[in-house]
Amino acid sequence: MELLKEIANISGQSGLYRILKPTRTGVIVESLDGKKTRSVVGANARVSVLKDISVYIEDHQDAAMPLANIFLKIRETHGEKVELNTKNATEADLFDLLATVVPNFDRERVHGSDVKKMISWYNIISANLPEAFVVEAVETAEETKSEEA
């Protein structure tokens, strides 16, 4: 899921954005929705690249699983869309869903709001950037071929 290095969450704005290119005052981003609106995000904005996000797991003190791995496991388990309505879901519902994908996540350091964001982000990427999941399969096939040679 190398495309996650181009996808970001911007604090205070809903949805996800594809980082297009830097400017002198920030970065140009494009929304990952049907509108594909472009805007400039200032250098003061908190931009979180999805490639750098991970979820705490209980193996040891600082153990974490990258978000890309979680997204791939969600794809295997739940398909193209997670059907859970996050607005009405209880924290127990959210944790149960995450436990189906990452059974050893740290329940003390992962919050229900974090799981809601992950589900929302997964559904946005799956609907608007499905090639993020296809690329991984192609890379794996290419790696297998080069190992066999």
Side-chain angles (χ1 to χ4, degrees):
M1 295 199 64
E2 281 299 310
L3 279 176
L4 287 188
K5 67 182 178 189
E6 300 173 8
I7 308 303
N9 175 35
I10 301 169
S11 182
Q13 297 185 24
S14 63
L16 291 176
Y17 298 85
R18 177 179 251 169
I19 299 170
L20 299 178
K21 63 181 181 176
T23 67
R24 283 182 287 159
T25 59
V27 293
I28 299 173
V29 296
E30 179 180 70
S31 65
L32 279 184
D33 57 12
K35 298 174 188 170
K36 303 278 187 201
T37 54
R38 292 183 179 192
S39 58
V40 176
V41 177
N44 295 347
R46 283 189 19 190
V47 177
S48 302
V49 178
L50 268 52
K51 182 83 173 166
D52 298 335
I53 297 175
S54 56
V55 174
Y56 291 113
I57 56 177
E58 294 179 331
D59 290 348
H60 62 287
Q61 184 68 25
D62 293 324
M65 177 178 280
L67 189 60
N69 294 0
I70 294 171
F71 281 174
L72 290 173
K73 287 185 177 213
I74 291 174
R75 177 60 72 125
E76 290 172 11
T77 308
H78 296 280
E80 293 183 13
K81 184 176 183 188
V82 176
E83 296 295 335
L84 181 69
N85 182 349
T86 57
K87 291 184 181 183
N88 299 329
T90 65
E91 191 166 280
D93 294 336
L94 296 167
F95 284 172
D96 289 345
L97 183 128
L98 185 58
T100 64
V101 179
V102 186
N104 60 337
F105 77 95
D106 190 335
R107 291 178 184 266
E108 292 181 13
R109 296 196 287 178
V110 177
H111 304 284
S113 60
D114 300 330
V115 181
K116 281 184 183 183
K117 286 180 200 173
M118 281 188 278
I119 293 168
S120 172
W121 293 345
Y122 173 81
N123 286 336
I124 290 170
I125 292 171
S126 186
N128 298 296
L129 201 64
E131 61 268 23
F133 299 97
V134 175
V135 170
E136 188 71 26
V138 170
E139 289 174 357
T140 304
E142 289 175 0
E143 289 172 6
T144 304
K145 285 180 184 177
S146 66
E147 289 174 2
E148 291 174 355

